[in-house]
Amino acid sequence: MATHIHLGHIFHIAGAPTVTEAAAALVSIPDGALVLDDSGRIAFCGDRTEIPSEYESGTVHDHRPGFLLPGFVDTHIHFPQTYAGDSYGGGQLLEWLTLCMFPSETKFADPEFAQQAAVEFTHRRISAGTTAAMVFGSAFPHAQDALFTETKKAGLRIVSGRGIQTVGVGTAQPLMTSEEDAIRLTREEIDKWHGADTGDVATALLHVAIVPRFSLSVTTETLKNLGELYDEVRDRGVYVHSHLNENNRPGTGEVDSTKEVYQVNSYLDTYDGKFLPGSQVGGKSLLGRRTILAHCVHCQDVELERMAETGTSVSHCPVSQLFLGSGAMPWKRTVASGVNISAGTDFGGGDEWLIPRVLGDAFKVHINEPGDDGVSMHPAEMLFIGTLGGARALDMENRFGNFDVGKEADFVVVDPSGTPALDGLLRHGIRAADPDLARDQTLFALLMGIRDTSIAEVYVAGRRAGAS
């Protein structure tokens, strides 16, 4: 592949900051150039007038007056809920799962339906500019095969694993397996798809995760067996993904129900190998640098501290938390713990595919936290959790997430003219005399105003993504 030069207004979070350091690491280059070498890596990111002479003969792609942003990273989305967004169940999380999600996910038992959904899911990812995603998978292996196959065709990044359930209510029965099959099917998926596109997890776009649906959908035996399996495959770069502390309705919600069933001190203990009564150790921990736990709305301080200690990341899903009445993840307390925070759409609990819509709702939620807990998120923090924080959560920050030289070129081209409301905001919105504030105001308007129609092109490792 020859050298390519992409022109546009560049925004990214440079280096390897924490979320609290994102504002200082924000880079804005109005007349920017992103130069890709013949391997799809970033050779130069800077002002168009400063392109090194050795790259001046490269093929030019002029996206001006558009924008170049790092590819969006969605660290929590449900493939078998592709057609289940905006489902009404007349209740919060547990009712919604029983009445809506389990029956919807059961439809993936039909291979033709699953194939259709895999194509649709992949197309929607491209439309939303989601270059990398942690995808909660279907219980059915043929559906997972379709998902990985379509993702590979499109040239997108994915981490996914079949949803594991060994216990549950009546509507979950078609999604459940025996304890033995839960491990067998998970192992088979790892062997078949983890790093399958290149044969090397260090260069692969396809990765596999171990995905217990949540603690109420598995047993102590399942957790013990999954811990032993993960101990075997951890060194192969396999991931773990699940839900944590999403709904705290007193007595009957997810958090209280989990603690009651397992008789543990904290929900996190069930994933940390301490799933026996009194939080006694019963197996090996599933926490670590390649573990992402979604929601984390109602964490105890000790849980956040343990996640930070182990390198486990949070997938913050404010859209779905609003949709299901789960509450607001406390921004200041979560950030203060030092845990890495990324962004997830949680479609179909969330009803948005666009990470920028998640970032917009995060801003709105956290500015409304009560009293001194309320905070006006800096637009650089918003960009961080939707890009670099996601790459860090996937433990692939060394490969993508920003435009540092040497990284693989994952980026989206944003064309405001495709969305008249956004175009108007950027052309005519008030900007401060202070250049830094004016920069921040532009980024904020951009992130808040992006819609599907704004995403003009999507690139992964320098290659334009395209659905089959």
Side-chain angles (χ1 to χ4, degrees), residues 279-360:
S279 291
Q280 293 298 305
V281 174
K284 299 181 183 297
S285 178
L286 295 172
L287 306 184
R289 288 177 58 88
R290 291 201 164 191
T291 299
I292 299 177
L293 297 176
H295 304 297
C296 303
V297 179
H298 307 288
C299 287
Q300 302 172 40
D301 286 344
V302 67
E303 292 175 295
L304 292 173
E305 291 167 5
R306 177 60 175 160
M307 291 174 69
E309 176 188 9
T310 58
T312 301
S313 288
V314 170
S315 180
H316 183 24
C317 308
V319 177
S320 72
Q321 287 149 25
L322 288 168
F323 184 81
L324 291 172
S326 301
M329 185 194 83
W331 180 259
K332 286 185 177 180
R333 186 162 67 86
T334 305
V335 168
S337 73
V339 67
N340 180 55
I341 304 172
S342 57
T345 59
D346 194 25
F347 195 93
D351 56 354
E352 296 283 357
W353 289 82
L354 273 167
I355 284 294
R357 302 301 294 143
V358 175
L359 307 181

Side-chain angles (χ1 to χ4, degrees), residues 134-359:
M134 171 67 88
V135 181
F136 199 106
S138 169
F140 304 105
H142 60 257
Q144 287 298 98
D145 289 346
L147 175 64
F148 280 114
T149 299
E150 293 303 319
T151 303
K152 181 179 178 181
K153 287 180 185 176
L156 297 171
R157 300 184 192 272
I158 192 171
V159 182
S160 186
R162 63 173 302 274
I164 300 166
Q165 299 189 71
T166 54
V167 68
V169 297
T171 57
Q173 291 294 320
L175 306 173
M176 292 165 49
T177 68
S178 67
E179 301 285 358
E180 180 181 344
D181 282 348
I183 301 304
R184 177 181 62 81
L185 292 172
T186 301
R187 188 186 299 277
E188 288 176 358
E189 185 173 35
I190 293 168
D191 291 341
K192 183 173 185 177
W193 286 112
H194 190 55
D197 55 314
T198 66
D200 181 355
V201 296
T203 60
L205 300 182
L206 308 180
H207 299 262
V208 175
I210 294 172
V211 185
R213 182 173 203 118
F214 63 156
S215 295
L216 292 176
S217 286
V218 294
T219 66
T220 54
E221 182 179 352
T222 317
L223 289 170
K224 180 177 185 297
N225 292 338
L226 290 178
E228 291 177 354
L229 174 61
Y230 192 48
D231 193 53
E232 292 177 28
V233 300
R234 188 187 289 259
D235 289 346
R236 292 169 59 183
V238 172
Y239 293 78
V240 172
H241 187 44
S242 195
H243 302 85
L244 177 70
N245 288 323
E246 181 176 359
N247 178 280
N248 75 334
R249 185 174 59 200
T252 59
E254 173 212 21
V255 176
D256 279 357
S257 295
T258 299
K259 292 167 72 174
E260 173 65 24
V261 167
Y262 284 91
Q263 292 293 296
V264 290
N265 299 323
S266 77
Y267 193 157
L268 184 69
D269 284 346
T270 62
Y271 299 129
D272 201 14
K274 297 177 288 186
F275 46 74
L276 297 182
S279 291
Q280 293 298 305
V281 174
K284 299 181 183 297
S285 178
L286 295 172
L287 306 184
R289 288 177 58 88
R290 291 201 164 191
T291 299
I292 299 177
L293 297 176
H295 304 297
C296 303
V297 179
H298 307 288
C299 287
Q300 302 172 40
D301 286 344
V302 67
E303 292 175 295
L304 292 173
E305 291 167 5
R306 177 60 175 160
M307 291 174 69
E309 176 188 9
T310 58
T312 301
S313 288
V314 170
S315 180
H316 183 24
C317 308
V319 177
S320 72
Q321 287 149 25
L322 288 168
F323 184 81
L324 291 172
S326 301
M329 185 194 83
W331 180 259
K332 286 185 177 180
R333 186 162 67 86
T334 305
V335 168
S337 73
V339 67
N340 180 55
I341 304 172
S342 57
T345 59
D346 194 25
F347 195 93
D351 56 354
E352 296 283 357
W353 289 82
L354 273 167
I355 284 294
R357 302 301 294 143
V358 175
L359 307 181

Side-chain angles (χ1 to χ4, degrees), residues 391-450:
R392 184 171 299 164
L394 294 174
D395 198 27
M396 287 191 268
E397 183 182 2
N398 63 317
R399 296 182 61 184
F400 60 90
N402 62 15
F403 295 147
D404 287 356
V405 170
K407 288 193 177 181
E408 297 167 33
D410 287 17
F411 64 100
V412 295
V413 178
V414 179
D415 180 2
S417 68
T419 311
L422 173 60
D423 194 43
L425 286 173
L426 294 171
R427 289 180 182 272
H428 306 299
I430 297 299
R431 298 291 180 265
D434 175 77
D436 287 344
L437 180 54
R439 172 203 64 192
D440 298 343
Q441 290 171 330
T442 297
L443 176 58
F444 184 76
L446 180 65
L447 293 175
M448 296 293 284
I450 289 175

Side-chain angles (χ1 to χ4, degrees), residues 83 104 107-118:
Y83 299 115
S104 294
K107 295 178 69 175
F108 280 63
D110 178 352
E112 290 186 8
F113 184 84
Q115 172 62 32
Q116 172 188 320

